[in-house]
Amino acid sequence: LEWRRRALAAAPEEAALDVLSDEQISALEAEKAELQDKVAKYLGSPEVLNAVLSPEIIGTFMKPDADWRPFVSGCLKRVQDVNALGGPRMQIVWWGSLQSLARLPMWPVDRNHILDAERLLEQWAEEMDEHGKVDDRGFCMSTFSHRWERPALDSSAHPDTPDHKKAAKLATY
């Protein structure tokens, strides 16, 4: 789908491999603390805490003539708000990519399988019909929280097992 291709995550910037000075490390730590504070305030805000999708609300979307446009615009606003906090942009992976790769995509090697969530929702909004659907489908984005299967402070760190059990489960979700 060409519209989805237009939502690919931006190419990574060239990483500086310089050793950081104590001053640079202190600046990064201050930036990290500031971002953590912004995230905590945002997640604790009434806007976030009061935005609950109850089973009753979700049920209204199951009707054939349901209007998904307010849901799409609400998702876009939430992603824009998160992106505006100053951390990394929200990125998502399509289940079809998990299925075709048979593993979680790796950044930046698999960049063509990683979508910028804000750009994806903007593209969806451009393509959607009068009911907020694209190709007769409503927008769905699921978030999963998990622990890394192979935590480490070096390049051996990986969120999945060597046999890619998480990617396989997510692809069938």
Side-chain angles (χ1 to χ4, degrees), residues 43-114:
L43 292 177
S45 71
E47 177 184 357
V48 171
L49 295 175
N50 295 330
V52 176
L53 284 178
S54 67
E56 295 81 21
I57 292 170
I58 292 171
T60 64
F61 291 121
M62 299 302 118
K63 297 175 183 171
D65 62 341
D67 185 359
W68 286 74
R69 290 175 298 177
F71 179 73
V72 172
S73 64
C75 287
L76 177 58
K77 169 126 178 36
R78 173 67 57 90
V79 170
Q80 288 169 331
D81 289 348
V82 169
N83 284 343
L85 293 174
R89 290 182 62 83
M90 185 174 186
Q91 297 176 343
I92 57 179
V93 177
W94 177 50
W95 68 269
S97 289
L98 293 172
Q99 199 171 49
S100 69
L101 290 171
R103 60 176 171 73
L104 296 174
M106 297 183 307
W107 183 262
V109 176
D110 297 317
R111 188 177 80 76
N112 290 335
H113 292 278
I114 301 170

Side-chain angles (χ1 to χ4, degrees), residues 8-22:
L8 289 175
E13 296 179 16
E14 285 293 319
L17 299 177
D18 300 336
V19 175
L20 298 178
S21 68
D22 289 343

Side-chain angles (χ1 to χ4, degrees), residues 22-43:
D22 289 343
E23 186 177 291
Q24 290 170 313
I25 291 171
S26 292
L28 286 173
E29 288 173 349
E31 186 179 321
K32 173 185 146 193
E34 182 182 339
L35 179 59
Q36 286 174 324
D37 186 50
K38 286 180 182 178
V39 169
K41 285 179 183 173
Y42 176 71
L43 292 177

